[in-house]
Amino acid sequence: MIGSGGREHALAWKLAQSRLCDRLFASPGNPGIAQHAELVAVDPADHAAVLDFCEAQRIALVVIGPEAPLVDGLADSLRGSGVPVFGPSKAAAQLEGSKAFTKELCDRHAIPTAAFKRVAALDEALSALDAFPIPVVIKADGLAAGKGVTVAMSRDEAEAAIRDIFSGRFGAAGAEAVIEAFLEGEEASFFAITDGHTVVPFGSAQDHKRVGDGDTGPNTGGMGAYSPAPVLTPLLEGEALERIVVPTVRAMAEEGTPYSGVLYAGLMLTPQGVQLIEYNCRFGDPECQVLMLRYQGDLAKLMLATAEGRLASLQPPRFSDDTALTVVMAAKGYPDSPVKGGAISGIEQAEAGGAKVFHAGTAQTAGGLVANGGRVLNVTARGSTVAEAQAGAYAAVDKIDFPDGFCRRDIGWREVAREAKG
């Protein structure tokens, strides 16, 4: 397994439970992943080194967790050498690697999404802005670690976001930008597994992107999530599958870039119906953590069948009816300048009550466990309701001693309020 974050810890935890998994390696991993896998130092950017390792260890399946190695084409190198891999090709990963690619694919195949304009220069972008009402959404075209998106509530804010992208702040990710019409509604995340032919739903979730309570402050990589998302009703989930996800998989195959792996659709539930905000070509983080806590199947079996084009031969994925909710404990200063090195203790006590703590950005030192990233821990619990799962997660959070950390105290607030109203 490739990766080192909370998503990968959740995947490693689930993969290690598989009857097919005799031995699990992870690169580079983290202290939490080390509980389930042997950590190895293999640079995913060095495709030859990854292939050599797979040959030496007779690896039967490679699972690529983060988006960067997928966009870099690691799956192509593995498949080219006959190694089964869970994750899309470089060409198919453009669904996340280029927002303009996805918008233009939707345009060609009548997949519902917001009106947009692709722009390649500052003056062009400022001029194109005239055609969009405020609020408006400004996005860097490429991978910007979740930080290249601005929902501009004024013309000045929109212009500032455009100048920021073309200033070089996001490197190659900001070589182009996409201007999008603002969609009114509630967001939800929908996941599907596909081998390029068969498509099966793999659950829903809602993420919390803003750093502060009440959805205030700057966007982050995600401060918490819960699954399932009741707002994405069976009817709306069916609409998303039939009008967005299945047509996308079909279109990718028709255009010579078949998609294999997990397809994560960020959706907006608008009065006009479900619309696509954007795609990710891997599991969400922290959505993966709540999905894995609910998933009742054999993950390695599912992923290997996907990699080998046999998804139709399996029973549909099964999930617990419970809600799973995760709270991100982040280092003070996140997302701008997180403090590293803060001591962490109390994880065993937190898990004693039934919660699961996934490591997202930690390091093991001679003095103990410390923070080694912006998002540090994902404290995750299950319950029969969102309120019950929320209470379990925060009870576990309160048992963790992390003086240099913080978290939102309202993850799941919308659904808790809806539950209270009955």
Side-chain angles (χ1 to χ4, degrees):
M1 189 189 67
I2 303 293
S4 63
R7 166 184 49 223
E8 287 77 30
H9 186 183
L11 292 173
W13 172 72
K14 201 67 183 177
L15 285 167
Q17 298 170 29
S18 170
R19 290 180 297 173
L20 296 183
C21 187
D22 296 322
R23 202 171 175 194
L24 180 62
F25 298 94
S27 180
N30 66 36
I33 293 170
Q35 299 166 18
H36 315 288
E38 299 174 49
L39 303 191
V40 293
V42 182
D43 181 2
D46 186 345
H47 294 195
V50 176
L51 291 170
D52 287 346
F53 180 85
C54 290
E55 183 179 355
Q57 298 295 337
R58 301 175 66 187
I59 298 298
L61 175 68
V62 175
V63 176
I64 302 175
E67 62 273 21
L70 293 166
V71 172
D72 185 47
L74 178 57
D76 302 78
S77 296
L78 289 161
R79 286 195 184 97
S81 295
V83 180
V85 56
F86 184 85
S89 66
K90 179 176 183 175
Q94 288 181 92
L95 281 174
E96 179 169 3
S98 169
K99 294 174 180 65
F101 172 89
T102 297
K103 299 296 281 191
E104 289 169 353
L105 182 89
C106 290
D107 200 35
R108 289 194 299 275
H109 294 273
I111 296 167
T113 189
F116 75 100
K117 177 70 175 177
R118 179 180 194 165
V119 290
L122 176 60
D123 290 346
E124 180 191 8
L126 293 173
S127 176
L129 195 56
D130 294 337
F132 291 84
I134 301 296
V136 64
V137 182
I138 311 297
K139 297 179 178 180
D141 178 60
L143 297 179
K147 297 179 178 68
V149 178
T150 300
V151 179
M153 305 307 291
S154 68
R155 172 79 186 209
D156 286 347
E157 190 180 358
E159 290 187 3
I162 288 169
R163 293 182 192 280
D164 196 31
I165 289 171
F166 287 105
S167 72
R169 177 186 171 194
F170 301 108
E176 293 190 354
V178 172
I179 303 172
E180 286 186 19
F182 176 77
L183 292 176
E184 193 78 50
E186 189 165 348
E187 287 188 43
S189 301
F190 177 63
F191 298 83
I193 306 291
T194 178
D195 58 7
H197 307 284
T198 302
V199 181
V200 296
F202 198 79
S204 64
Q206 276 194 305
D207 189 13
H208 298 64
K209 285 293 184 191
R210 300 282 186 173
V211 75
D213 286 8
D215 292 333
T216 57
N219 271 326
T220 71
M223 294 299 294
Y226 61 92
S227 172
V231 70
L232 193 64
T233 64
L235 187 66
L236 291 175
E237 187 173 301
E239 182 182 338
L241 195 64
E242 292 169 20
R243 298 189 62 210
I244 296 174
V245 177
V246 169
T248 298
V249 172
R250 187 185 306 121
M252 294 292 283
E254 287 173 359
E255 297 193 4
T257 52
Y259 190 99
S260 176
V262 61
L263 190 55
Y264 162 15
L267 305 174
M268 187 67 80
L269 312 181
T270 78
Q272 294 75 40
V274 181
Q275 296 205 45
L276 177 70
I277 301 171
E278 62 186 20
Y279 277 125
N280 291 321
C281 62
R282 36 70 190 182
F283 283 106
D285 189 348
E287 294 95 337
C288 183
Q289 290 83 313
V290 289
L291 287 172
M292 290 303 128
L293 212 65
R294 293 182 57 235
Y295 178 53
Q296 295 180 320
D298 184 318
L299 186 63
K301 183 178 179 181
L302 176 70
M303 288 181 160
L304 184 61
T306 303
E308 295 179 343
R310 300 182 288 103
L311 192 54
S313 69
L314 301 188
Q315 292 295 313
R318 303 184 322 278
F319 289 86
S320 165
D321 291 333
D322 282 354
T323 290
L325 185 144
T326 190
V327 176
V328 170
M329 297 188 76
K332 288 178 180 175
Y334 178 75
D336 295 323
S337 52
V339 176
K340 290 190 178 183
I344 303 165
S345 62
I347 290 178
E348 286 185 9
Q349 293 88 329
E351 292 189 328
K356 179 63 185 174
V357 179
F358 295 112
H359 293 232
T362 64
Q364 193 68 49
T365 70
L369 192 69
V370 300
N372 190 41
R375 294 185 294 171
V376 180
L377 299 171
N378 306 140
V379 185
T380 316
R382 274 172 49 172
S384 59
T385 64
V386 179
E388 188 177 305
Q390 184 194 60
Y394 281 112
V397 164
D398 291 338
K399 292 176 182 174
I400 295 173
D401 186 19
F402 180 23
D404 283 345
F406 76 98
C407 68
R408 280 182 58 164
R409 303 296 306 195
D410 66 344
I411 300 303
W413 66 273
R414 283 191 183 88
E415 203 54 48
V416 169
R418 283 192 279 255
E419 285 179 350
K421 288 180 180 177

